Amino acid sequence: MRWHSLQLKDVFTQLESDKGGLSSGEAAKRLKRFGLNEIRLERAISPLKIFISQFTNFLIIVLIAAALVSIAIGFLPGNESHYIEAGLILAIVFANGIFGFVQEFKAEESLAALKKLSPDRAMVLRGGQKFFVNASELVPGDVILLEPGEKVPADARVFEANNLHLDESLLTGESVPVSKITRALADETNFAERINLVFKNTVVTSGTGKAVVTETGLKTEVGKIAERLHSPEQKVTPFQIELEQLGKRIGFLILVVIVFVALTQVLLHQADPLLIFVAAVSLAVAAIPESLPAVVTSALALGTRKMVKKNALVRKLSSVESLGSVEVICTDKTATLTENRMTVTRLYSNGKTIDVTGTGYGLDGNFLLGKVEIDPEEFKLLLQCGALCNDAAISVDENDEMQFVGDPTEIALLVSARKANLNEKRLSRQFPRVDEIPFSSERKRMLTVHKADRAGMLVFMKGAPETVLQHCTKILVAGKERKITERDVKEIEQRNMLFAQSALRVLGFAFKRMGAKYSKKNLEKGLVFLGLQAMIDPPRKEVKQSIVVCREAGIRVIMVTGDNILTAKAIGKQLGLTGKSLEGRDIHNMSEKQLSREVEKTSIFARVSPSHKLRILKALQANNHVVAMTGDGINDAPALHSADAGIAMGIRGTDVAREASDIVLLDDNFKTIQEAVSEGRTIFSNIRKFVLFLLICNVAEVLVYFFASLRGFLALTASQLLWINLLTDGMPAVALGVDPAPKDIMKRKPKGKSEKVINKRVALLIAVVGSIGTVCLLAIFFAGLSKGIAVAQSMLFTGLILSELFRLAIIRQQEALGLFSNKWLVLAVVASLVLQLAVLYTPLGLLFGTVALGEAGQFLFLVGVEEWTTILTFVALGAIAAIGATKVIVKLTPTRA
């Protein structure tokens, strides 16, 4: 039903209701028919579901299978279960699951804590009598009463409006409260301009009114959006896909190598099938980077903790990677780029244009004529008029914090007066209000009458400049009243037009003095024009620099707003957003192909509806961009859900928007987005480093194991391999996850969708450096064989760990990170060395089948010189060769991220 285009009598006829509301009996019948006025998102936190989701990765499944095989061996005749290996594998898998679960569960709990409830009660007319009822029990046909500060409990058509203004920014993106009317509108009227309707969850900022409920629950505009988001498919990031594919490739590689080794052992060495089976488990352990899932989870979780400290709450760990890949940020204007606080920035009085400094609701500011500060005394009456013809209030709460209550436009007028030391409370005591004619959309003006002294009254008017001028016969110039001329009017109209072209909202002001006895019909006649006050919702101070940083990082920022195009362009100009500007009606007439072309050259989209916003997003994604969508409103929710990284506002954001998002900004600040992108890039860079580190290690392990097996030797036991993969590799890898950001992290181009963690450079480094390591490690192993297999295994075991620690320095050198720039990495390296020495020279070695290098009972390096010399020589040679190979590969393979 097009409720906005119906005449009021037809609205009541369709709803079978009247201005006195429904009877209680009829309301009860309709409640059974229409159901409760509720929106159930059905996204309750399920701890079990979150926990189980941690174990669905293919690599995790392979690890669990390997652990079960290790235990199952014990059921074969004459064999023992490998409980140590199985225990280590299951412990790391479980620890990884717990780690991921805690992070995601905490994020969901934090989100729940941010929720603000919809109105619990609503005032209605039932049978002509006022009643408070549960908002959930409202039905179509109910008459609701609208009062300042109250949330609207359902969608409704207004039939009585007294200076009724609503803040609809969370639904439409309109930054200025919308004045409501009662008359019917054209059928084709834009959603944002249906000013005879009120919508669920919007807020009454001033005035009073009555409206008849037209839609409830999921049929409301909020409900329709929530329904679109109901039971959505979970987004899968490129990195999640890549990690899953990596697990499958490793699994396939394991099968191929195991089959090859098994055939070699049977055909060349006539090995026992059971020994081959045990060897297969060891090879599987060598091939799988057991610590990778844990390290990935750790890096993401530690990164998200940093983000929380910077006011960005990450709801899903995997979304961090998407944030680091972002190429385009589509952002709402109101409250995200701007303060969401109207601020008077210019005055026109005495034929002069005066600039007003200060932004937001800060009470400090100056009045400048050009660059010269001037005394506000000469336009004091203009500021007094704005403060007295006003229903807003500034107060101080019990915590000594300023509270601003009322229409944002009127608050801006109080603030401009305060900058001239004109306190509205003192003025109200000096000039108490005795009468008023409230603002309405039809009248476009407000008038108040104040007692001036025993003998007279003061009348103040504010409103649309052209309307105020119609009621003026005089003008105040240099403190003196004179007759207003046609030239004066033209000058005022020209100044008004110039202000409006700068996207300023302009109000005109007038006054007159009169006797104590007056006729109300003459109140608006013969007024004296005082001047203009022009205001705007200003950009946040830090946003312009954040956009510069984004641009340097190769990230486009696009404003997508429900506000008018003049305001959007003016704010865009101040923020340095260059490019084309389009309105929602332009998008409406475009094909998908046309829109996909236009989004590449358009920086500002104004007067957009939720469907337009979604089309803009889809067009950018169709052009293969990774897109972040920011917003706080209900209108943003579908696009937030569909974006690669949906970023909702935590303070002003609606429940629907936050539920649809991946990340919630706790301070609603665009700068936080830029910092979160930087953190996301750092996390991705660190993930790439430790993936490179772990896979080089695993390639070397597999190749050493493989070539040794061709000669009939078991190079390392499964427990030794697990020790390397989980602890002596795992700890440095975790520490790599908290490496500091490279200085140029926000100078690099976005990696985009096509750039993978394992790109050409990483793949070459894994293959080449892994092969160099294999040659050196095989040399260590075969050099130690003359002293027995146990010594050879112990030398290889130690050589692997030392070579991997050298590799850390080589990998970090690519980003010019200092040796001691990461204290956790230094501690991890020291801990790995100490643990390895403990395995060699304490009874702990019995669990891993190692022997001390040198004579028993003597100190390290005083004996066993031959073994240690061999190890260090080949490790050093490998490191030198790896450094040279790395420099060549880096030079030959430039990368974006």
Side-chain angles (χ1 to χ4, degrees), residues 281 314 397 411 484 575 693-694 869:
V281 172
V314 178
D397 65 14
I411 292 172
I484 194 167
L575 293 174
F693 170 69
L694 289 174
T869 300

Side-chain angles (χ1 to χ4, degrees), residues 299-310 312 314 320-321 323-325 671-687 737-742 745-746:
L300 292 173
L302 291 171
T304 58
R305 285 183 189 176
K306 284 185 186 177
M307 287 187 178
V308 168
K309 289 177 182 177
K310 294 179 179 178
V314 178
V320 174
E321 184 263 339
L323 191 61
S325 309
K671 187 175 190 297
T672 303
I673 300 166
Q674 173 244 305
E675 291 176 344
V677 169
S678 176
E679 192 61 44
R681 287 188 173 194
T682 302
I683 291 169
F684 178 81
S685 174
N686 290 343
I687 287 174
V738 293
D739 246 1
I745 195 71
M746 288 301 281

Side-chain angles (χ1 to χ4, degrees), residues 265-327:
Q265 293 291 323
V266 171
L267 297 175
L268 298 181
H269 304 290
Q270 289 77 46
D272 185 332
L274 190 57
L275 290 175
I276 293 173
F277 191 64
V278 174
V281 172
S282 298
L283 187 58
V285 169
I288 299 170
E290 286 85 358
S291 57
L292 182 57
V295 173
V296 170
T297 304
S298 168
L300 292 173
L302 291 171
T304 58
R305 285 183 189 176
K306 284 185 186 177
M307 287 187 178
V308 168
K309 289 177 182 177
K310 294 179 179 178
N311 292 312
L313 171 68
V314 178
R315 296 185 59 214
K316 293 291 180 185
L317 291 180
S318 55
S319 61
V320 174
E321 184 263 339
S322 292
L323 191 61
S325 309
V326 162
E327 298 170 285

Side-chain angles (χ1 to χ4, degrees), residues 606-617:
R607 284 291 186 218
V608 294
S609 67
S611 59
H612 295 147
K613 186 169 271 193
L614 200 54
R615 283 189 66 198
I616 292 164
L617 172 69

Side-chain angles (χ1 to χ4, degrees), residues 139-417:
V139 294
D142 261 327
V143 169
I144 55 175
L145 279 67
L146 304 171
E147 296 186 348
E150 297 293 325
K151 277 188 177 181
V152 178
D155 287 5
R157 170 69 186 271
V158 178
F159 66 85
E160 187 177 302
N162 302 307
N163 192 29
L164 182 62
H165 288 74
L166 276 87
D167 179 358
E168 296 182 346
S169 61
L170 294 178
L171 186 62
T172 65
E174 178 66 62
S175 58
V176 177
V178 179
S179 178
K180 294 298 176 179
I181 63 171
T182 58
R183 63 179 171 80
L185 299 170
D187 188 58
E188 65 274 9
T189 303
N190 233 335
F191 175 77
E193 295 168 349
R194 294 176 186 175
I195 56 176
N196 57 3
L197 300 180
V198 292
F199 303 101
K200 183 176 174 67
N201 281 5
T202 57
V203 180
V204 180
T205 58
S206 63
T208 59
K210 293 178 184 176
V212 58
V213 173
T214 54
E215 306 290 357
T216 60
L218 291 173
K219 294 293 183 70
T220 62
E221 291 300 322
V222 180
K224 290 173 188 174
I225 294 170
E227 199 166 29
R228 280 181 228 152
L229 301 171
H230 178 63
S231 301
E233 292 181 9
Q234 292 297 310
K235 286 184 280 189
V236 181
T237 69
F239 181 60
Q240 284 177 298
I241 295 168
E242 190 176 355
L243 198 59
E244 188 74 11
Q245 289 173 345
L246 177 63
K248 290 175 180 176
R249 285 175 189 151
I250 289 172
F252 178 73
L253 175 68
I254 291 168
L255 288 175
V256 171
V257 176
I258 284 174
V259 170
F260 187 83
V261 169
L263 289 173
T264 304
Q265 293 291 323
V266 171
L267 297 175
L268 298 181
H269 304 290
Q270 289 77 46
D272 185 332
L274 190 57
L275 290 175
I276 293 173
F277 191 64
V278 174
V281 172
S282 298
L283 187 58
V285 169
I288 299 170
E290 286 85 358
S291 57
L292 182 57
V295 173
V296 170
T297 304
S298 168
L300 292 173
L302 291 171
T304 58
R305 285 183 189 176
K306 284 185 186 177
M307 287 187 178
V308 168
K309 289 177 182 177
K310 294 179 179 178
N311 292 312
L313 171 68
V314 178
R315 296 185 59 214
K316 293 291 180 185
L317 291 180
S318 55
S319 61
V320 174
E321 184 263 339
S322 292
L323 191 61
S325 309
V326 162
E327 298 170 285
V328 182
I329 298 174
C330 292
T331 176
D332 194 13
K333 175 185 70 68
T334 306
T336 311
L337 298 176
T338 65
E339 297 264 4
N340 195 34
R341 293 181 168 187
M342 296 298 288
T343 305
V344 173
T345 57
R346 287 186 176 182
L347 306 177
Y348 175 74
S349 177
N350 291 322
K352 304 170 187 172
T353 297
I354 299 122
D355 291 318
V356 186
T357 65
T359 60
Y361 293 167
L363 302 183
D364 295 324
N366 298 311
F367 300 90
L368 305 177
L369 185 59
K371 295 183 179 181
V372 180
E373 186 175 342
I374 60 171
D375 188 346
E377 185 65 31
E378 65 176 277
F379 44 86
K380 178 181 176 181
L381 201 53
L382 169 63
L383 299 174
Q384 279 185 343
C385 180
L388 288 168
C389 189
N390 197 313
D391 290 326
I394 301 175
S395 58
V396 179
D397 65 14
E398 62 273 12
N399 299 318
D400 291 327
E401 291 185 1
M402 303 293 291
Q403 297 292 320
F404 300 86
V405 181
D407 184 288
T409 299
E410 294 197 319
I411 292 172
L413 296 174
L414 295 185
V415 171
S416 71

